[in-house]
Amino acid sequence: MLQQLEISHYAIIEHVSIDFDEQLNILTGETGAGKSIIIGALSLLLGERIDWTYFEQQEKKCVLEARFQIKFNPAFHTFFEKHEMSITNTQIILRREINPSTKTSRNFINDNLATSNQLKELGTLLVDLHQQFDTLELYDTAFQFQMLDALANQIPLLTNYQQAFKQYNTQKDHLQQLLVQQQQAHKDVAYYTFLLQEFEEFGLKDNELETIETELKTLTNAADIQQALSKTTFVLLEEGSCVSQLQQLVHQLKSFHDLSAIQEISSRISAAAIELDDVAKDAQRMIDKFNADPERLALLSERLSTGYKLLKKHQAKSTQDLLNTYEQIKTAHQSIQNIDEQITLQKKLVQDLESTISQQAKILDENRRKIVPVFIEQIEQLLQKIGMANAQLKIDLTASDLNVFGCNNIDFLLDANRSNSFKSIKKVASGGELNRLMLAIKSVIANSLALPTLIFDEIDTGVSGEVAKQIGEILSILSSQLQIICITHQASIAAKGKKHFYIYKDKAVRFVSSHIKTLNTEERITHIAEILSGTPPTNAAIVIAKEMLA
């Protein structure tokens, strides 16, 4: 319930603080006194967009704050967990600070910074703001189903169905994706098979292309290498060769070995001769290894050419890149082979889910059809009391494909004059009729659905006398189950309030401002008498007012 509303510097309101009762709260006052401005301020707290024309005093910051007392409701905890905000078990505070000079605002939920969308989302759980002619909810399919399902006590079943239906749609979408992939796979399978055969026939090994390149370079230059090695051997070993000349030098120097310096030089020349002799022999042995092999050269050239084609085809740069591509193609090919099995399993899953939700939808449909006559009877009884004695309501439940509400389409039809011509309420009902129909519906489902605080802004427009009295009776009965705030011009409705607030203008200051006063019993008698007979009230009106309040 809404415990307290504080408004500072909004429109013609300087500051008001309203402490509401938990049952029926009545707001009255002259036209233009500020009653609807109070509802407008509450709308801003519930996330509505700011209309800057309401802020004439640009230099003053507008502050709006509402305190709500709450009972346990999983929806509240879901909201606060979703948005990572703190919550108490008993109170929610909404606050909005609006700066007209900069056209900016800051929003708070329990001292947590919030967006206007978050205010709006939470506001739907706290307040049902039913303003004058604001009956679009009646046209909403979700609202119409909710009314029936609440009266049939199957909201939990509907919630379970909708969760299962969401899962069903998700899995059905996945199946569709697999089928699309299958169509493409059938086009790709031959291509992937060809690529795999190409790779497997080639039989590529680790680092093979780089090894072939090195060997080809050797084979291509074999003759030149042999010639160079032969020349090396000749220069180092043949008659008059480098090695024999070094050996002669060692022999000549041997006579002077008693000189240590000469002996060292001789030893170094001898070592060089031995080393060059080994080099020459190694070169001689290598000559045979570099024999040109035309067949081997042709074989490797052809293989490398094929390898280069694969590199270019797959935009690879090395043997390892090609091997990685091969593994990717194998994986893709295997996936294609598995997709038929995946589709079979997915079809089974979708069929099972469809069977489950079909059974749930059937139960929803059966319960709705049972409750429709009960719902209609209760609504029509209330409509008779509030000036629509000839009105007949019809609820058109038709079979449909599975949807988020089950296996039905729904439409509320009205015949306002017993003409046996039922038409959709959006086409035939007037604003006043829709207001009264909404009141009747919310009265009927109040026990079955945890409604938030209901606010009615002049729901009595266009009615008077007995009809207004009956509306007051309905509001009074309804307020025993939930909090109601009602703006009215009707004495018979005002008299039903548990708490009565009078809104008035004060013209004694520099500019007009709106104020609010909680009326005591004597003040209520006088004010209701004034509504009945004008100011000052007649004695007869005062007597009637006392009877109304009694």
Side-chain angles (χ1 to χ4, degrees):
M1 59 167 278
L2 175 59
Q3 284 182 306
Q4 186 181 61
L5 176 64
E6 287 196 48
I7 305 170
S8 298
H9 306 303
Y10 176 65
I12 60 173
I13 296 177
E14 278 292 293
H15 179 80
V16 297
S17 180
I18 313 171
D19 295 311
F20 291 98
D21 187 81
E22 64 181 5
Q23 295 187 1
L24 179 56
N25 298 269
I26 296 296
L27 276 68
T28 60
E30 294 181 0
T31 300
K35 301 184 297 298
S36 294
I37 291 175
I38 292 171
I39 302 302
L42 184 57
S43 297
L44 286 178
L45 273 171
L46 300 176
E48 290 298 317
R49 293 183 63 183
I50 299 171
D51 184 350
W52 296 104
T53 60
Y54 280 87
F55 300 91
E56 296 180 0
Q57 301 180 59
Q58 296 287 315
E59 72 283 359
K60 292 185 178 181
K61 182 171 71 173
C62 170
V63 179
L64 311 171
E65 184 172 291
R67 295 174 179 269
F68 293 87
Q69 181 183 358
I70 61 170
K71 297 179 181 179
F72 174 76
N73 186 337
F76 287 127
H77 291 273
T78 299
F79 172 85
F80 281 93
E81 287 177 4
K82 172 184 173 183
H83 297 291
E84 299 180 348
M85 296 181 182
S86 59
I87 182 176
T88 67
N89 292 323
T90 58
Q91 193 175 67
I92 291 175
I93 301 174
L94 305 184
R95 181 179 175 86
R96 198 162 192 183
E97 299 175 358
I98 302 170
N99 192 331
S101 61
T102 58
K103 287 187 168 50
T104 57
S105 70
R106 293 200 306 165
N107 313 312
F108 300 89
I109 299 175
N110 285 356
D111 292 328
N112 300 288
L113 273 172
T115 66
S116 57
N117 284 335
Q118 288 169 343
L119 287 178
K120 187 175 292 186
E121 182 181 349
L122 180 59
T124 59
L125 303 175
L126 296 168
V127 175
D128 184 349
L129 186 55
H130 183 81
Q131 295 176 287
Q132 189 175 4
F133 306 123
D134 180 16
T135 50
L136 295 180
E137 210 175 17
L138 271 175
Y139 305 155
D140 184 59
T141 298
F143 177 78
Q144 293 177 357
F145 275 118
Q146 187 183 38
M147 298 305 99
L148 279 188
D149 292 332
L151 203 59
N153 294 317
Q154 61 176 5
I155 293 295
L157 176 59
L158 176 64
T159 301
N160 291 337
Y161 167 81
Q162 289 177 334
Q163 291 172 347
F165 182 74
K166 181 179 180 181
Q167 184 184 7
Y168 165 72
N169 276 338
T170 299
Q171 296 302 331
K172 194 165 70 168
D173 288 344
H174 182 50
L175 174 60
Q176 189 59 39
Q177 291 171 3
L178 287 175
L179 291 172
V180 172
Q181 292 175 17
Q182 185 187 46
Q183 290 179 345
Q184 185 61 42
H186 289 159
K187 298 177 183 177
D188 293 342
V189 66
Y191 177 62
Y192 283 133
T193 301
F194 168 75
L195 292 180
L196 285 177
Q197 288 176 347
E198 191 175 44
F199 268 106
E200 288 164 0
E201 288 174 1
F202 188 61
L204 189 65
K205 299 180 179 63
D206 289 341
N207 208 37
E208 181 178 356
L209 298 182
E210 292 77 9
T211 302
I212 291 175
E213 285 178 338
T214 302
E215 187 176 353
L216 273 177
K217 185 176 181 180
T218 300
L219 288 172
T220 303
N221 296 287
D224 293 337
I225 294 172
Q226 283 183 327
Q227 184 177 1
L229 290 173
S230 296
K231 187 173 182 180
T232 300
T233 303
F234 178 81
V235 169
L236 293 177
L237 294 180
E238 297 300 323
E239 185 176 351
S241 66
C242 178
V243 173
S244 64
Q245 290 182 27
L246 290 174
Q247 289 171 342
Q248 290 177 11
L249 287 174
V250 171
H251 182 72
Q252 292 176 6
L253 292 171
K254 192 173 183 180
S255 304
F256 308 104
H257 278 185
D258 53 331
L259 298 174
S260 60
I262 299 300
Q263 185 178 8
E264 181 182 354
I265 290 175
S266 177
S267 297
R268 290 170 65 185
I269 293 172
S270 177
I274 293 170
E275 176 64 22
L276 289 174
D277 185 63
D278 287 342
V279 168
K281 291 176 179 176
D282 284 343
Q284 193 170 33
R285 284 193 293 270
M286 289 178 65
I287 290 173
D288 294 337
K289 293 182 179 180
F290 287 94
N291 288 330
D293 185 344
E295 292 184 3
R296 176 71 177 170
L297 181 64
L299 178 65
L300 291 179
S301 296
E302 183 179 355
R303 187 161 180 78
L304 186 62
S305 176
T306 303
Y308 282 158
K309 289 178 182 178
L310 285 176
L311 286 171
K312 184 177 181 181
K313 182 175 186 176
H314 297 284
Q315 297 181 339
K317 295 181 179 180
S318 66
T319 303
Q320 189 58 49
D321 286 348
L322 279 180
L323 291 173
N324 292 340
T325 300
Y326 171 59
E327 292 299 325
Q328 292 170 4
I329 293 172
K330 275 206 304 186
T331 301
H333 189 262
Q334 185 63 40
S335 176
I336 290 173
Q337 292 178 325
N338 292 340
I339 198 166
D340 291 339
E341 182 180 348
Q342 292 179 46
I343 288 174
T344 300
L345 294 174
Q346 190 64 22
K347 282 182 177 178
K348 178 67 166 57
L349 176 60
V350 170
Q351 288 169 357
D352 290 345
L353 286 172
E354 185 174 358
S355 175
T356 298
I357 63 174
S358 294
Q359 292 173 6
Q360 292 176 330
K362 183 179 179 182
I363 296 172
L364 288 169
D365 174 56
E366 290 172 352
N367 292 338
R368 286 166 183 161
R369 294 186 186 279
K370 289 177 184 177
I371 206 66
V372 161
V374 178
F375 183 71
I376 290 175
E377 181 181 2
Q378 293 180 9
I379 295 296
E380 288 182 351
Q381 287 176 356
L382 287 175
L383 290 178
Q384 288 177 9
K385 293 180 179 180
I386 55 179
M388 297 178 67
N390 294 319
Q392 291 180 295
L393 181 67
K394 181 179 180 182
I395 297 176
D396 193 10
L397 271 179
T398 55
S400 74
D401 293 335
L402 290 171
N403 57 58
V404 70
F405 302 108
C407 57
N408 298 119
N409 290 323
I410 191 171
D411 196 7
F412 278 24
L413 308 173
L414 185 68
D415 176 8
N417 302 301
R418 291 191 180 275
S419 62
N420 288 322
S421 177
F422 287 89
K423 294 183 180 179
S424 179
I425 55 174
K426 68 182 72 175
K427 295 180 180 179
V428 296
S430 66
E433 288 171 336
L434 288 174
N435 281 331
R436 283 175 274 169
L437 179 57
M438 180 66 87
L439 175 60
I441 288 174
K442 289 182 178 178
S443 298
V444 168
I445 55 93
N447 282 328
S448 304
L449 198 62
L451 292 175
T453 294
L454 295 184
I455 299 180
F456 292 102
D457 185 0
E458 299 186 14
I459 196 171
D460 53 14
T461 299
V463 300
S464 60
E466 182 61 25
V467 173
K469 180 182 176 182
Q470 291 297 330
I471 289 177
E473 291 284 353
I474 293 172
L475 289 173
S476 180
I477 295 170
L478 188 57
S479 69
S480 66
Q481 302 160 12
L482 51 91
Q483 184 187 42
I484 295 178
I485 299 169
C486 180
I487 295 175
T488 182
H489 293 285
Q490 296 290 338
S492 56
I493 294 177
K496 296 295 182 181
K498 192 75 178 291
K499 204 167 186 178
H500 191 150
F501 301 96
Y502 177 62
I503 294 93
Y504 62 97
K505 287 181 179 178
D506 182 0
K507 301 180 182 179
V509 292
R510 288 188 299 111
F511 50 84
V512 176
S513 63
S514 183
H515 298 269
I516 190 164
K517 180 181 182 181
T518 304
L519 301 182
N520 59 32
T521 302
E522 290 301 319
E523 289 169 334
R524 288 189 74 187
I525 291 172
T526 301
H527 180 57
I528 290 173
E530 288 175 344
I531 295 175
L532 289 169
S533 65
T535 306
T538 64
N539 290 332
I542 291 174
V543 171
I544 295 173
K546 287 180 179 179
E547 291 177 354
M548 285 181 171
L549 287 171

